[in-house]
Amino acid sequence: HYAEASSFDDVAGGAYYTAAIEWCRNQKIATGYAGTNNFGPEDPINREQLAKMIAQFASYECIDISDYSSDKFDALDGHDACSTWSRQYMAWCVDKGIISGIKTSLGARLAPLDNATRAQMAKMIAVTCRDVVR
């Protein structure tokens, strides 16, 4: 099903992804860039943006995303690099085991501003669906 139009300024009507983006916007899973009416359909997604979308999807599935402990998040190297708007989502994802940090020789690093790889996205989505939303 291809949507004929998009409510985002930068999402072409009739593109293969338009209907999916519109569904995500209507469910408040993906709201686009703050202060704009842009989604960035061809932009890479960073780890904190992905954490927000995953948490918003869980919320859509009636999971309480305010129910989490920030202990694991606070213990991860790089947690202080999170944008203010993303801290709740990142902490929730870390608490639920969706995000565990990038393994380095010095231990796990949160890396919220790094772009998510396809493998990281697949892992995060699988853990969300398998272990959190069920």
Side-chain angles (χ1 to χ4, degrees):
H1 175 258
Y2 291 93
E4 294 301 318
S6 172
S7 56
F8 285 111
D9 294 340
D10 64 344
V11 175
Y16 72 92
Y17 50 75
T18 305
I21 291 171
E22 286 303 303
W23 181 85
C24 286
R25 184 177 204 166
N26 292 335
Q27 308 314 317
K28 297 180 177 46
I29 294 168
T31 55
Y33 289 111
T36 73
N37 192 39
N38 292 327
F39 179 79
E42 302 296 330
D43 295 351
I45 188 168
N46 68 34
R47 293 167 53 84
E48 68 181 6
Q49 291 168 331
L50 181 56
K52 180 180 180 184
M53 290 177 74
I54 287 173
Q56 294 296 90
F57 171 73
S59 181
Y60 166 78
E61 291 289 329
C62 299
I63 304 293
D64 182 1
I65 63 171
S66 68
D67 178 24
Y68 66 92
S69 167
S70 62
D71 294 346
K72 293 177 196 172
F73 171 78
D74 292 338
L76 268 175
D77 181 39
H79 75 276
D80 54 342
C82 287
S83 301
T84 304
W85 62 264
S86 75
R87 293 184 70 77
Q88 171 193 354
Y89 307 115
M90 291 294 284
W92 181 84
C93 284
V94 169
D95 184 54
K96 301 307 177 195
I98 297 166
I99 295 177
S100 55
I102 297 171
K103 306 289 187 238
T104 70
S105 61
L106 301 174
R109 183 175 57 88
L110 191 56
L113 302 176
D114 287 7
N115 289 336
T117 66
R118 292 169 64 93
Q120 291 166 349
M121 289 176 63
K123 184 257 185 184
M124 291 177 206
I125 293 167
V127 170
T128 302
C129 293
R130 183 191 68 210
D131 300 342
V132 179
V133 174
R134 291 185 198 93

